[in-house]
Structure formats: structure tokens, C-alpha cells
Amino acid sequence: MNVNSIEKGIVIDHVTAGMGSSILNYLDIDTKVNTVAFIMNATSRKHGRKDLIKIENVTDIDLTALGLLAPEATVNIIENGAIVRKVKLSLPQRVVNVIRCKNPRCVTSVETGIPHIFHLVDEAAQEYRCEYCDEIISMKGKTDNELIHRKR
């Protein structure tokens, strides 16, 4: 398989196999305007299998949300065909408007316009606590359809 290099944009590498589509859904990249290469289930010496995403002419993405969705990923910022910055992602300590609280009695479930704020409480279990109702949500094995707000 041959995927050309890009002159300007981002490369999201080392994404857990199968999570690439969740990342693309969340980032809401307009594929009618932007060139996107999405490689699924590629062989990786480090991880066995991985997904890889290349997005041309886009460099401004939410690294906090990306760290929540793919904490093991690496983001390469490309300019003039070369990597100018490499960002190793990790689980963010605080996320705003990325995770939805599932507690039906939480203020975020009944009031509109209130930001959904969560704080990391257990990194190993990837658990976050809702700032308002203390509901604990585990991100391990979750997909964007289960918990993640889509960026719009």
C-alpha cells in the first residue's frame, strides 16, 4: 500500500486498532475539503496492530479530546513536508464538553448550555468523575457513540 507524504497537516499515529473511526467522527473533518488518509488495522512493530490518520492542511485539533480517545497515540505536525512538532498524547486531567454524563439526575442532563466537565480520578482504569454529580465514567473500551460529544 502506498500513501503519499503530506506537505502540511497532521499525522495521528499509534492509534489502537479500531479506534481511528471514533477519532475521525469526533474531529469532524470535512472530507469534501480536506484530503484524509485513514489506514485501519496496519501492522505495527510496537503495538501489533494500529490505525493511522493523515489529514492534509489541518493542524489545529483538540489534543485534550484526542488524548482521551487515544492516549497512546502520537500526533506529528507537518510543515513543508517535514515533522516540525511531535506530541505524545496522554489522558487529560480535565475534559470539558467531550464526555457526556449518563446520570439522568445530573444537572447536565436536565439543563441545556451547562458544560460537561470531568476530572481524571483513576488513570489505570481510565475513570473520570463528573464535576456536578460525582458520577464515575470509565473510558476503557468505550466508543464515541457511547459517551463522546461530537464536535460541531
Side-chain angles (χ1 to χ4, degrees):
M1 176 180 293
N2 185 16
V3 178
N4 294 336
S5 60
I6 57 178
E7 282 298 307
K8 180 182 179 186
I10 60 170
V11 177
I12 306 169
D13 198 1
H14 306 295
V15 175
T16 301
M19 282 301 295
S21 61
S22 295
I23 291 168
L24 278 175
N25 282 340
Y26 180 78
L27 293 176
D28 198 27
I29 302 296
D30 186 354
T31 56
K32 294 176 184 154
V33 175
N34 301 298
T35 302
V36 177
F38 177 31
I39 301 170
M40 298 173 61
N41 209 23
T43 303
S44 168
R45 283 176 275 164
K46 253 181 157 176
H47 303 288
R49 293 285 180 189
K50 68 178 182 179
D51 289 354
L52 176 91
I53 304 166
K54 288 184 176 187
I55 308 169
E56 197 165 35
N57 297 321
V58 172
T59 56
D60 185 29
I61 60 169
D62 184 354
L63 294 177
T64 302
L66 198 53
L68 182 67
L69 293 168
E72 71 293 335
T74 303
V75 177
N76 298 314
I77 310 296
I78 312 293
E79 289 181 14
N80 298 319
I83 298 173
V84 295
R85 191 167 136 224
K86 188 173 231 165
V87 180
K88 175 70 177 120
L89 298 176
S90 61
L91 285 172
Q93 293 297 310
R94 179 177 184 261
V95 292
V96 179
N97 290 332
V98 180
I99 305 171
R100 283 192 306 257
C101 188
K102 291 293 192 175
N103 181 353
R105 291 185 290 277
C106 182
V107 67
T108 61
S109 296
V110 293
E111 297 287 330
T112 58
I114 295 177
H116 294 252
I117 303 171
F118 284 81
H119 301 274
L120 182 64
V121 292
D122 187 337
E123 190 168 347
Q126 296 181 3
E127 290 180 342
Y128 284 82
R129 176 187 52 80
C130 176
E131 184 168 290
Y132 306 104
C133 72
D134 293 328
E135 179 85 5
I136 301 292
I137 299 205
S138 175
M139 293 303 297
K140 244 186 188 161
K142 299 295 184 194
T143 64
D144 64 326
N145 291 330
E146 293 174 290
L147 296 172
I148 306 299
H149 275 296
R150 280 201 171 75
K151 186 178 177 181
R152 296 259 188 250

